[in-house]
Amino acid sequence: MSSPVHSNDHDFEIKPSPHLETQISTIKSPTSEENRQQGWFSNFKDGFKPMKLDNVDPNMTELEKANFIAASTPAERAMKPRHLKMIAMGSCIGTGLFIGTGTTLRTGGPAGILIAFFIVGIQVYCVIQALAEIAVAFPTSGSFVQYATRFVSAPFGFATAWIYAINWIIVLPLELVAASLTIQFWNTEINSAAWVVIFYFFIMFIHLFGAKAYGEAEFWFSLIKLVTVIGFIIFGIVIDCGGGPNSDGYLGGKYFHDPGAFANGFKGVCSVLVTASFAMQGTELTGLAAAETANPRKNIPSACKQVLWRIIIFFMVCLTILGLLVPYTDKRLMGSGSADASASPFVISIRNAGVKGLPSVVNVVIMLSVLSVGNTAVFACSRCVASLANQGFAPKIFDYIDQQGRPLGGYFISFLFGLLCFLAAYKDEDTIFTWMMAISGLSTLFTWSSIILVHIRFRHALKYQGRSTDELVYTSQTGLFGSYFALTLCILILIAQFWIALFPIGKSPNPTDFFHAYLTAPVWFFLYIFWVFYKRDFRPWIPLKDLDIDEGRREVSLVLVQQEIEEEKAYLRTKPFYYRIMKFLC
């Protein structure tokens, strides 16, 4: 069962945890012959029966049991490479880019948003590389939600996982309402509540068919978004060069000089940092889907590498074009709603150019983007809730996973809170939704910080236990230095957001604006302190010697994997230089 791995200095064996040696999980599912005999409907109905894990050792500790269940959960593994790559490329292209850039342009100016998104983009690349290394080594159900408890501490994992879950619980009803409001762009007389119902059941229908349906839906959603962004970049270059119907000639960098490159100086740039983090939320989903892809070693790194292209093309280039076409003083950037397409700088630039019909096309894409985020919210929330229940952080009933790998307990929670979308008919719904968003406003930064901290702890545990990165089938391109750098950026952004929350731009200090911008932090600390005293667990972290760095690895023979990697490297050495560069980046 164990396989020798040779390092440069000494030989040693990687031995899986004794629980994996002795406890073999079996899944009670029909054979292919039985499937043919029972018929489609019977198979579909039986798929909802609970997954069974036999022979789980009752002597395991809570942490060991959680790790064992996460490693043994038979996620459907239906995610194909094209699904993961498109999720990685398009998961964070949504309202944050199409709508949110209106606010960031107004508060930061065209140069301010480029600087802020560039800083966050570097941070995101370091985070996703760290996550790829851990997710390939441990493609467990729950991914980084599980890792925080395993490699840091139970209180830290409890607080971080719940903040992440709450974020996606809240996002679903918000996005359903936002999707219904996009219809108002065409001044339809149909009540928004009717569209809410349609979109609610549409997303529910997708997840009825599990991870494969989610991946397929996200593939097409993301493809449409990518085509739209690329088309807009080409359109923007033409317009900036004076090619539009209402063109006043060559624009060039006019708006960088008048009204200027920065709207509120350094403070304006700081205000954009958290918005940029929110816009790139979803990058970590490739790690959450780790257990649901057939070949994590090849699929996850390839998907994660493409984050670099997304940052360069779909954010930096696109934001540069927007800064060239729309001045930050444009009154229309003051849109009131999160789905107000008329406030989108994309729509404003198209209208300024006098191109008819395109604003409606962009609004359709905005609506699909909002639905895509809602679809993602269910996927992320359900896996997170199941992981919480496995770790003992939530009622046991929510760890119900059926024979098709669908976390039905997580689906129940997600769709139950999704019913909050019907608050859209309430007169004070704006106030309610604003405070709901405040709870999870900084959740992205806390999640990324936990991923980075897990990577740092994992690397130190390897070194402490006399192991090396030679046994890893994929290592982060940014290494340990990149993780320390990204963690430093997370801390600095949290400090900058605290400053902006305490002294908002154009306003006097007030508690309402402060908690709207910074409520996540006290909620996280409350959850952390609660678990510390509830479980009497006062350890800030698990000692390096006690960290389990074996259980949960899917690869059986690391020697064979290393041999395969060497063969791939040898093959690459025979290829031209440009091909090797492409493989390194993609």
Side-chain angles (χ1 to χ4, degrees):
M1 292 292 293
S2 60
S3 304
V5 178
H6 303 283
S7 69
N8 295 329
D9 302 317
H10 54 273
D11 296 341
F12 57 87
E13 290 185 342
I14 295 180
K15 297 181 179 179
S17 165
H19 298 301
L20 285 186
E21 286 280 348
T22 59
Q23 309 303 326
I24 300 175
S25 61
T26 57
I27 307 165
K28 306 300 184 182
S29 57
T31 64
S32 57
E33 182 64 30
E34 290 171 339
N35 286 339
R36 286 193 294 269
Q37 292 176 355
Q38 290 179 3
W40 177 87
F41 181 75
S42 295
N43 294 331
F44 178 76
K45 181 180 65 174
D46 291 342
F48 290 96
K49 292 179 179 179
M51 171 201 74
K52 294 179 188 266
L53 289 174
D54 293 342
N55 302 324
V56 177
D57 189 345
N59 297 319
M60 288 181 181
T61 64
E62 287 293 328
L63 181 58
E64 288 174 336
K65 189 174 181 180
N67 291 339
F68 176 73
I69 293 174
S72 305
T73 297
E76 193 178 354
R77 298 181 185 176
M79 290 279 192
K80 298 179 180 178
R82 65 182 179 89
H83 292 152
L84 271 186
K85 289 178 181 179
M86 199 58 75
I87 289 172
M89 290 288 285
S91 60
C92 67
I93 298 177
T95 52
L97 177 63
F98 291 119
I99 300 291
T101 46
T103 302
T104 57
L105 181 60
R106 178 164 49 85
T107 57
I113 60 174
L114 286 176
I115 292 172
F117 272 83
F118 178 74
I119 292 172
V120 174
I122 295 174
Q123 178 190 26
V124 167
Y125 192 69
C126 293
V127 170
I128 200 65
Q129 283 297 314
L131 177 58
E133 179 179 310
I134 304 295
V136 170
F138 305 96
T140 60
S141 177
S143 188
F144 52 83
V145 176
Q146 187 88 11
Y147 303 149
T149 303
R150 179 174 182 171
F151 292 104
V152 185
S153 70
F156 182 86
F158 175 79
T160 305
W162 266 113
I163 282 292
Y164 189 71
I166 289 170
N167 170 63
W168 289 113
I169 286 172
I170 291 171
V171 163
L172 177 59
L174 286 175
E175 298 303 319
L176 288 171
V177 172
S180 67
L181 292 177
T182 57
I183 305 296
Q184 295 182 2
F185 181 82
W186 294 288
N187 297 318
T188 179
E189 296 181 0
I190 301 176
N191 193 298
S192 296
W195 294 107
V196 166
V197 175
I198 293 171
F199 295 145
Y200 180 88
F201 283 102
F202 172 69
I203 292 177
M204 183 181 289
F205 177 78
I206 290 174
H207 287 275
L208 187 65
F209 297 96
K212 184 176 182 179
Y214 161 75
E216 196 64 37
E218 280 306 296
F219 175 84
W220 292 106
F221 282 146
S222 296
L223 182 61
I224 292 170
K225 289 185 287 186
L226 295 178
V227 170
T228 301
V229 170
I230 293 172
F232 176 79
I233 290 173
I234 297 171
F235 166 84
I237 293 172
V238 172
I239 297 301
D240 190 60
C241 292
N246 293 346
S247 175
D248 293 326
Y250 176 74
L251 286 175
K254 173 184 176 181
Y255 297 133
F256 275 77
H257 299 283
D258 181 24
F262 296 93
N264 293 284
F266 177 71
K267 198 170 188 178
V269 175
C270 289
S271 70
V272 178
L273 288 172
V274 171
T275 308
S277 300
F278 175 78
M280 295 190 187
Q281 181 184 34
T283 306
E284 70 281 353
L285 289 172
T286 51
L288 200 64
E292 308 199 33
T293 179
N295 191 344
R297 186 182 77 77
K298 291 186 177 180
N299 297 340
I300 293 177
S302 178
C304 290
K305 287 177 184 178
Q306 295 182 16
V307 170
L308 178 63
W309 295 108
R310 177 177 56 192
I311 293 169
I312 294 174
I313 297 175
F314 304 119
F315 280 100
M316 301 307 297
V317 175
C318 200
L319 291 173
T320 300
I321 296 294
L322 289 175
L324 294 173
L325 299 182
V326 182
Y328 72 78
T329 53
D330 195 305
K331 300 290 185 183
R332 290 168 293 181
L333 293 174
M334 300 285 289
S336 58
S338 62
D340 188 356
S342 61
S344 167
F346 288 80
V347 173
I348 292 172
S349 62
I350 292 170
R351 284 178 166 171
N352 287 347
V355 180
K356 296 182 179 180
L358 268 185
S360 291
V361 173
V362 172
N363 190 62
V364 170
V365 175
I366 291 173
M367 182 180 68
L368 292 177
S369 298
V370 172
L371 287 175
S372 173
V373 175
N375 187 39
T376 296
V378 176
F379 177 83
C381 175
S382 60
R383 271 67 183 173
C384 192
V385 168
S387 179
L388 283 166
N390 283 336
Q391 297 175 77
F393 295 159
K396 195 63 180 172
I397 190 174
F398 296 129
D399 72 350
Y400 186 101
I401 299 177
D402 66 18
Q403 293 182 5
Q404 298 298 320
R406 291 171 294 209
L408 298 187
Y411 283 165
F412 174 77
I413 288 293
S414 185
F415 285 114
L416 176 65
F417 282 91
L419 294 173
L420 290 172
C421 62
F422 293 104
L423 285 173
Y426 183 56
K427 61 179 181 179
D428 292 329
E429 53 104 0
D430 286 342
T431 303
I432 295 172
F433 283 147
T434 298
W435 281 106
M436 285 170 61
M437 279 302 295
I439 296 174
S440 60
L442 296 173
S443 65
T444 301
L445 287 173
F446 280 98
T447 301
W448 291 352
S449 298
S450 74
I451 292 170
I452 298 162
L453 193 55
V454 162
H455 182 243
I456 293 172
R457 294 272 296 163
F458 173 66
R459 282 292 190 94
H460 284 299
L462 274 176
K463 184 177 180 180
Y464 183 87
Q465 297 182 23
R467 311 267 282 271
S468 74
T469 55
D470 291 341
E471 68 184 66
L472 301 179
V473 295
Y474 179 79
T475 55
S476 166
Q477 292 180 335
T478 56
L480 200 55
F481 171 80
S483 291
Y484 276 113
F485 177 73
L487 184 60
T488 302
L489 282 180
C490 278
I491 294 171
L492 291 176
I493 293 174
L494 286 171
I495 293 172
Q497 180 65 4
F498 181 83
W499 177 41
I500 298 298
L502 199 59
F503 302 100
I505 295 175
K507 296 181 182 179
S508 301
N510 64 88
T512 301
D513 282 338
F514 176 80
F515 285 110
H516 279 173
Y518 220 75
L519 185 58
T520 307
V523 170
W524 186 91
F525 281 108
F526 169 78
L527 291 169
Y528 185 93
I529 298 299
F530 166 78
W531 192 256
V532 165
F533 286 97
Y534 177 67
K535 284 292 187 179
R536 303 287 181 181
D537 186 353
F538 298 100
R539 295 186 304 174
W541 53 76
I542 301 170
L544 292 178
K545 65 182 178 62
D546 294 333
L547 291 183
D548 185 352
I549 55 177
D550 291 324
E551 189 166 13
R553 297 197 183 193
R554 186 180 295 180
E555 305 294 351
V556 177
S557 174
L558 291 174
V559 171
L560 292 177
V561 173
Q562 290 290 342
Q563 197 173 23
E564 185 180 346
I565 293 173
E566 288 302 321
E567 290 173 358
E568 291 174 358
K569 289 180 179 179
Y571 173 75
L572 282 176
R573 285 193 289 268
T574 65
K575 293 294 182 180
F577 177 74
Y578 66 86
Y579 182 85
R580 296 199 298 271
I581 293 293
M582 184 188 70
K583 289 298 291 183
F584 178 80
L585 295 175
C586 301

